[in-house]
Amino acid sequence: MSELFDLILRCIEFVREQKALMWWLVALSILTFVGTLVVVPILIVRIPEDYFTRASRHADGWEMRHPAVRLAIIVLKNVAGIVFILVGIPMLPGPGQGVLTVLIGVMLLDFPGKYRLERSIIRRRPVHRGINWIRAKAHRPPLKIPM
């Protein structure tokens, strides 16, 4: 018990010593939260309505691009996916769109089994209900959900 108390005291002292760093972290947290409130709905509206009912993923359409351009796009897309997931995880317990932010992050990443994971996430009633509510506000048809 004493060790836990000492750890808490050391953490409090660290925060006191690093006031500038803490203010930067607070500012970054607020910026990313507001950014997700803007970006996530834009991305949700752009998802094709039949994206989750297709038998397999469609080609990305970048095959005809120069290999360096294609590689840069893939790297940027994966970095953005990681950022969305990292920002979405702390948002999960609170009110807001943590699950939607993580879903967008997963959709941006490239990894084996991704399509199957996306489909299992979208099947959750609160998730597809929230996504379709956002799409309805943008006058877009609801996503077709696989059964």
Side-chain angles (χ1 to χ4, degrees):
M1 188 68 165
S2 173
E3 292 175 11
L4 177 61
F5 185 71
D6 289 340
L7 177 64
I8 293 171
L9 287 177
R10 283 193 306 246
C11 289
I12 292 170
E13 186 61 33
F14 175 79
V15 169
R16 286 183 180 156
E17 291 173 358
Q18 304 295 327
K19 284 186 181 183
L21 174 64
M22 294 301 124
W23 281 111
W24 278 105
L25 289 175
V26 167
L28 180 63
S29 176
I30 291 169
L31 180 68
T32 55
F33 176 73
V34 171
T36 60
L37 291 177
V38 172
V39 173
V40 168
I42 291 170
L43 293 175
I44 287 173
V45 168
R46 294 182 49 118
I47 299 171
E49 68 180 289
D50 66 341
Y51 179 83
F52 295 105
T53 58
R54 297 174 182 165
S56 63
R57 288 204 45 218
H58 64 284
D60 58 17
W62 299 329
E63 296 86 15
M64 303 305 289
R65 305 236 183 210
H66 189 278
V69 171
R70 185 169 193 268
L71 179 63
I73 290 171
I74 290 171
V75 167
L76 288 173
K77 188 173 74 89
N78 280 285
V79 167
I82 291 169
V83 168
F84 272 95
I85 290 171
L86 291 176
V87 168
I89 288 173
M91 293 168 60
L92 288 173
Q97 50 195 32
V99 174
L100 298 179
T101 304
V102 170
L103 177 63
I104 295 296
V106 168
M107 290 177 70
L108 289 170
L109 290 177
D110 292 316
F111 60 89
K114 172 184 139 178
Y115 191 58
R116 195 170 58 245
L117 176 63
E118 290 172 343
R119 290 175 72 167
S120 75
I121 292 172
I122 198 68
R123 282 187 186 114
R124 300 176 194 277
R125 185 172 173 83
V127 174
H128 72 257
R129 193 173 45 211
I131 287 176
N132 285 335
W133 180 82
I134 292 170
R135 290 176 65 86
K137 292 287 184 186
H139 307 290
R140 300 280 297 182
L143 291 178
K144 296 175 184 170
I145 308 301
M147 293 302 148

